[in-house]
Amino acid sequence: MGFLLGILQAIGNLPVPTDSFNYWAVDLAHLYPERWGIDGTYIYPPVLAQILTLLHPIGWQLFTIGWTTLIWAALAYMLGRWTWLFVVVGIAAAPFGYGAPAELTDVLGHALNGNVQLLIAAGIVVALRGNTLGWLPGLLTKFVSGLGLGWYVARFEWRPLAISLAAAAAVSAVSFAFAPNLWGEWIAWVVKNAAAPPPVALEPVSFALRLPMSLALLVWGARTNRAWVVPIAVGWGTPALYLGTYPSMWVGALPLFLDPRGFRR
């Protein structure tokens, strides 16, 4: 399905996937906006931008086909036969526009827009199934998803924690070696915009309340072998939680719940 949708997006029969286009269109000479959500949209550490810049020679059309295929492959990896349910729910809710709860259209919306969040969720599932490199998509983009590493801390599993952090540090070090100025710009942007108002509406439950809720859930899950709580805790513990955008992280809980033996103890 992802391959077909990517082709339709590339030839203009479907709308341009806004998130993946924004990733693709980055300019390393002017990577970060002055203000959050107004002057630009790329706000992640430089790594993803550096990698995607290397792909510019293949052209936007081939990139969007490949990226959309990857996003939908991640969704299928997590949901399997349940993927169609989320697609149908998203399509059914779409005609209601802003009258429909954002949660109903979030998963389909992120998949069609090419948002990296679905790759992060799939990576968490991969990590909890034994390959700790699955944390890299999150740690190198929406790095606050590293909250999920608290799973290892609560279980006193230091080796996977060390591997995850070391891998992220190694990739970041290579990125820094090629463009230390970009890391300086990113840190300056984060500091400057830390207290800036978000560009879109946020969930009414404040981060100050959601963070302890997420940590408590994470510890409970870790001590009782319930790996499915990790994507839920990560999704709910995001500092700037856009209205209705956590289901695309929560979908990672489904395969871990349906196959509780699937994670590595």
Side-chain angles (χ1 to χ4, degrees):
M1 176 183 287
F3 181 71
L4 176 60
L5 290 172
I7 292 176
L8 294 176
Q9 289 171 336
I11 63 178
N13 284 10
L14 283 177
V16 172
T18 53
D19 289 327
S20 59
F21 180 79
N22 288 332
Y23 303 154
W24 165 261
V26 293
D27 178 3
L28 295 184
H30 305 90
L31 186 54
Y32 295 104
E34 181 68 20
R35 292 166 293 174
W36 182 17
I38 298 177
D39 302 320
T41 54
Y42 187 88
I43 59 175
Y44 306 141
V47 177
L48 179 62
Q50 290 171 295
I51 293 174
L52 296 186
T53 297
L54 297 176
L55 298 178
H56 280 181
I58 70 172
W60 157 249
Q61 286 77 13
L62 286 180
F63 169 78
T64 196
I65 292 172
W67 186 265
T68 300
T69 301
L70 179 62
I71 293 292
W72 282 82
L75 189 60
Y77 169 73
M78 292 186 287
L79 299 179
R81 65 180 182 274
W82 296 100
T83 303
W84 289 102
L85 175 62
F86 284 82
V87 172
V88 170
V89 169
I91 293 175
F96 296 96
Y98 292 104
E103 291 83 357
L104 296 180
T105 59
D106 176 61
V107 175
L108 179 60
H110 272 104
L112 290 175
N113 283 328
N115 193 281
V116 73
Q117 185 143 310
L118 290 170
L119 294 181
I120 297 173
I124 292 175
V125 177
V126 169
L128 293 172
R129 285 177 170 173
N131 188 344
T132 52
L133 296 181
W135 290 104
L136 286 179
L139 293 176
L140 298 174
T141 54
K142 301 182 181 184
F143 63 93
V144 182
S145 62
L147 170 72
L149 293 174
W151 166 269
Y152 300 124
V153 176
R155 294 168 65 84
F156 307 108
E157 295 178 347
W158 308 118
R159 185 173 182 272
L161 175 63
I163 293 174
S164 302
L165 294 175
V171 175
S172 299
V174 173
S175 167
F176 180 83
F178 279 97
N181 61 302
L182 292 181
W183 282 88
E185 292 173 9
W186 175 67
I187 293 172
W189 182 89
V190 171
V191 172
K192 182 177 181 179
N193 288 271
V200 297
L202 300 182
E203 288 291 339
V205 183
S206 70
F207 177 62
L209 291 177
R210 289 186 287 103
L211 179 59
M213 292 167 62
S214 296
L215 291 175
L217 181 63
L218 194 62
V219 172
W220 172 75
R223 303 310 300 168
T224 58
N225 290 328
R226 291 177 169 86
W228 55 268
V229 308
V230 179
I232 295 177
V234 170
W236 191 241
T238 301
L241 186 60
Y242 295 168
L243 191 63
T245 58
Y246 47 85
S248 57
M249 188 67 72
W250 285 11
V251 292
L254 185 60
L256 296 169
F257 178 79
L258 295 177
D259 183 17
R261 296 168 299 175
F263 79 94
R264 182 178 179 181
R265 288 183 173 85

